[in-house]
Amino acid sequence: MIDFRFRRLRLNENLRRMTRRTQLSVDHFIYPLFVVPGEKVRTPIVSMPGVFQVSIDQVVREVQEVCELKIPAVLLFGQPTQKDVFGSQAYDDHGIVQRAIREIKSHLLPVVVISDVCLCAYTTHGHCGLVDKNQILNDETCEVLAKVALSHAKGGVDMVAPSDMMDGRVGFIRHVLDQQGFSNLPILSYAAKFASSFYGPFREAQHSTPQFGDRKSYQLDPANASEALREIEADIQEGADMVMVKPALPYLDILSRVRDITDIPLVAYQVSGEYVMIEAAAAKGYLDRERAILESLYAIRRAGADMIITYFAKEVAKILPRRG
Ligand code: PBG
């Protein structure tokens, strides 16, 4: 009988490093940024300790720090000066995100600027699409989303990321971008986005909580896995360049199954609720913060994610060189 001794290769840190199958590198991180109206604004987000809302004049400073830390990409979210039922500031060429993109690009900062394409922060009702008789309209919303994506493209964005979960919007956006001369602009699709309670702190920050009903008529049911795979396949067929699973940690099975069926670059979003769970538990002394952060990110990468959107990105970029 063989005497199994798995522990032989765990005996010291060098052996563990040599046999480690999953790597964490700053190359894999995307840092979300929240841009708000005003000047010299740098407001801590109460529901997300350590995360700030910044005005356009401050956004460059944030991006400079991101660049110094060698984080390759940021994901921009915006707050309009005024919301309306159509979310019209979302596709205003002088809207907040469009101006932030121009500002970052004018400083020639070496960063991939990704923009969130959605309506929920821009509509009075807080839904991700246009509304008629309390129903969220699909195809009409796709047309508006394509206008949003196009206005970001004109501002010089490097990648657009539709997060609304309307059917067919990736194909729609791709078509409009191609027609308008932006055939080189990639689309990161929030392909498998679940109707999750873990977005709570983000919605607080973005004032994007639906004013009636919920998002269950467009986001995926947390109980369904194979439906998520169909969403992923559909978005790839429609022309998505990268696909996302969101949230991350409660959905590792989805990440792993997506990884099994496709080689397309796969992104996981470690969302606001996942972030605050670790922060809150660490603040109480219930968890070792640094270890919990790294473990959660290793788990997400191990499940199959190539890239991770995370509020911990700057933090991890500082931890990794120290840890080796
Ligand atoms: C908007 C959007 C949401 C998030 C990213 N884009 C919220 C939602 O769908 O309600 C959540 C991000 C987070 O929680 O960190 N469609």
Side-chain angles (χ1 to χ4, degrees):
M1 226 220 338
I2 299 170
D3 184 11
F4 288 105
R5 295 278 171 175
F6 296 108
R7 294 180 50 194
R8 282 181 201 123
L9 296 181
R10 293 176 196 157
L11 284 178
N12 63 54
E13 181 53 20
N14 275 345
L15 283 167
R16 291 190 292 271
R17 262 174 62 202
M18 291 163 72
T19 53
R20 191 161 292 145
R21 292 282 168 85
T22 309
Q23 308 303 329
L24 274 187
S25 148
V26 72
D27 296 345
H28 306 136
F29 296 127
I30 300 169
Y31 187 62
L33 282 176
F34 296 96
V35 192
V36 292
E39 255 182 71
K40 298 203 173 67
V41 182
R42 195 168 190 275
T43 317
I45 299 175
V46 179
S47 54
M48 298 168 69
V51 185
F52 294 81
Q53 289 174 317
V54 296
S55 50
I56 291 183
D57 55 291
Q58 301 293 307
V59 93
V60 168
R61 269 185 42 196
E62 289 283 322
V63 177
Q64 267 162 349
E65 193 192 352
V66 163
C67 292
E68 273 157 29
L69 292 167
K70 301 264 186 311
I71 296 166
V74 292
L75 173 61
L76 292 186
F77 293 98
Q79 266 295 310
T81 49
Q82 210 169 359
K83 301 180 193 243
D84 59 32
V85 282
F86 305 111
S88 53
Q89 282 200 16
Y91 51 87
D92 181 343
D93 283 339
H94 302 288
I96 185 115
V97 167
Q98 291 81 352
R99 281 166 48 216
I101 295 165
R102 286 198 178 87
E103 181 71 11
I104 297 168
K105 285 294 154 189
S106 73
H107 284 75
L108 304 175
L109 294 164
V111 71
V112 174
V113 179
I114 309 171
S115 60
D116 185 83
V117 172
C118 196
L119 300 184
C120 58
Y122 298 84
T123 51
T124 36
H125 46 69
H127 276 288
C128 303
L130 300 179
V131 171
D132 186 35
K133 301 187 191 75
N134 283 6
Q135 300 291 314
I136 319 306
L137 304 174
N138 193 84
D139 298 11
E140 294 82 349
T141 300
C142 289
E143 286 188 33
V144 181
L145 293 166
K147 276 165 60 174
V148 178
L150 183 61
S151 71
H152 293 177
K154 287 182 188 158
V157 82
D158 297 304
M159 193 182 303
V160 287
S163 68
D164 52 282
M165 287 299 280
M166 298 301 123
D167 288 323
R169 90 280 205 213
V170 172
F172 220 96
I173 292 172
R174 182 72 274 157
H175 179 72
V176 170
L177 289 176
D178 289 352
Q179 263 189 340
Q180 299 290 324
F182 294 101
S183 52
N184 281 333
L185 187 67
I187 299 175
L188 159 59
S189 161
Y190 286 67
K193 178 175 178 181
F194 288 85
S196 171
S197 61
F198 291 99
Y199 309 146
F202 172 97
R203 289 184 191 171
E204 282 279 320
Q206 282 293 85
H207 309 291
S208 63
T209 307
Q211 297 303 301
F212 67 88
D214 50 41
R215 302 209 203 290
K216 290 180 190 163
S217 77
Y218 39 108
Q219 299 180 345
L220 280 159
D221 186 330
N224 295 354
S226 48
E227 191 182 345
L229 301 186
R230 290 177 59 212
E231 284 271 10
I232 297 269
E233 277 169 345
D235 282 9
I236 293 172
Q237 290 207 338
E238 286 176 36
D241 299 278
M242 313 211 285
V243 290
M244 188 196 300
V245 171
K246 175 186 175 185
L249 210 54
Y251 296 87
L252 294 185
D253 59 323
I254 310 291
L255 278 169
S256 160
R257 288 179 64 176
V258 171
R259 186 71 303 163
D260 283 345
I261 60 163
T262 171
D263 262 340
I264 195 168
L266 177 57
V267 181
Y269 198 145
Q270 183 178 50
V271 300
S272 55
E274 298 177 70
Y275 172 80
V276 297
M277 279 203 297
I278 292 179
E279 287 294 343
K284 289 228 166 197
Y286 297 157
L287 280 179
D288 176 328
R289 180 169 177 273
E290 195 167 301
R291 286 186 57 199
I293 294 172
L294 291 178
E295 187 175 332
S296 68
L297 296 169
Y298 271 118
I300 294 164
R301 290 265 303 147
R302 189 195 65 231
D306 296 304
M307 285 156 270
I308 306 174
I309 302 169
T310 173
Y311 304 100
F312 290 123
K314 290 199 294 190
E315 186 86 20
V316 184
K318 291 172 197 163
I319 297 173
L320 287 178
R322 177 154 51 76
R323 290 234 164 184

